[in-house]
């Protein structure tokens, strides 16, 4: 495999870092339910790039850089589409299913999408990578089930934060990755009909 510069991964990671360094920018981009209702629709997507604390940013950024770099290194297709569709699905899901949620921020839902997509793609590879992807995918699904059941996040086990985690965003990210992966399978393996 020829190494590739993970351009999209770096652009999204740098965007999250810049937004964190300029709180006024974060205020314009955070998922804010009242602002969305009043027409600021971009916040459904851009809220994924905003973070509440340095620890929140660093945990998400490290995971994002690893998953995204591996996706781009392996040249798995549709990564840009994954980023767009997962951010849309996360914001829309939270807006519809969590009307009590006024603010949301963080890359963790998109990280969940990226890790899931990476692992699904890796299942088609050979050797150790395939088994590592299978084990990681099983871990992601188990993590999501546990978080949904407990209403908390594993991040809070290692760091006490002043915000409430939203496991539904992780589940939405996983679902976005699954939908894109199965779309890709169907599109790739579709047999043309005889005329």
């Amino acid at each position: 495999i020829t190494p590739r510069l993970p351009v999209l991964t770096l652009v999204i990671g740098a965007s999250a870092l810049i937004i964190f360094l300029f709180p006024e920018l974060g205020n314009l981009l955070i998922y804010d339910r009242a602002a969305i209702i009043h027409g600021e629709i971009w916040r459904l997507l851009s809220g994924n790039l905003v973070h509440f604390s340095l620890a929140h940013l660093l945990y998400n950024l490290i995971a994002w850089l690893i998953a995204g770099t591996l996706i781009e290194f392996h040249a798995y297709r549709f990564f840009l589409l994954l980023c767009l569709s997962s951010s849309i699905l996360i914001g829309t899901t939270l807006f519809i299913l969590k009307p009590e949620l006024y603010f949301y921020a963080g890359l963790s839902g998109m990280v969940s999408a990226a890790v899931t997509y990476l692992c699904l793609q890796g299942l088609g590879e050979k050797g150790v990578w395939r088994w590592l992807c299978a084990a990681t995918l099983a871990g992601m699904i188990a993590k999501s089930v546990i978080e949904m059941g407990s209403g908390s996040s594993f991040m809070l086990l290692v760091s006490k934060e002043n915000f409430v985690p939203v496991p539904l965003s992780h589940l939405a990210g996983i679902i976005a990755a699954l939908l894109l992966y199965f779309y890709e399978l169907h599109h790739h393996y579709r047999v043309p009909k005889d005329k």
Side-chain angles (χ1 to χ4, degrees), residues 52-53 156 159-165:
F52 291 119
S53 70
L156 296 184
S159 175
K160 294 296 179 191
E161 295 293 330
N162 292 326
F163 60 87
V164 177

Side-chain angles (χ1 to χ4, degrees), residues 11-192:
V11 165
I12 290 174
S15 298
L17 179 59
I18 290 167
I19 291 166
F20 181 75
L21 294 175
F22 295 93
E24 301 83 11
L25 193 54
N27 291 336
L28 293 173
L29 299 175
I30 193 169
Y31 174 106
D32 176 337
R33 186 175 184 84
I36 293 166
I37 290 170
H38 286 95
E40 298 180 13
I41 303 297
W42 68 84
R43 292 174 181 269
L44 290 170
L45 282 75
S46 62
N48 292 287
L49 298 174
V50 181
H51 290 84
F52 291 119
S53 70
L54 182 59
H56 187 211
L57 172 68
L58 290 178
Y59 290 135
N60 284 333
L61 200 52
I62 290 167
W64 173 256
L65 291 173
I66 293 169
T69 298
L70 287 170
I71 288 172
E72 294 195 67
F73 177 78
H74 285 278
Y76 293 144
R77 300 179 342 153
F78 301 123
F79 186 38
L80 176 59
L81 184 56
L82 176 70
C83 294
L84 291 172
S85 62
S86 64
S87 62
I88 290 168
L89 186 61
I90 290 162
T92 305
T93 299
L94 297 179
F95 189 80
I96 294 169
L97 298 182
K98 298 226 22 121
E100 73 280 10
L101 183 69
Y102 291 101
F103 297 99
Y104 169 77
L107 265 176
S108 60
M110 289 178 64
V111 168
S112 296
V115 172
T116 301
Y117 190 69
L118 172 68
C119 293
L120 288 167
Q121 293 287 345
L123 294 178
E125 305 282 350
K126 296 179 180 178
V128 175
W129 178 244
R130 178 180 187 172
W131 295 108
L132 181 60
C133 287
T136 304
L137 184 60
M140 280 295 297
I141 293 169
K143 172 184 174 289
S144 183
V145 168
I146 292 168
E147 286 181 340
M148 287 299 294
S150 68
S152 189
S153 169
F154 281 92
M155 179 184 165
L156 296 184
L157 295 176
V158 293
S159 175
K160 294 296 179 191
E161 295 293 330
N162 292 326
F163 60 87
V164 177
V166 185
L168 183 60
S169 67
H170 304 167
L171 181 61
I174 291 170
I175 290 170
L178 287 167
L179 290 173
L180 181 59
Y181 177 74
F182 288 119
Y183 166 79
E184 184 182 351
L185 276 183
H186 174 71
H187 181 72
H188 186 276
Y189 294 110
R190 188 172 54 202
V191 179

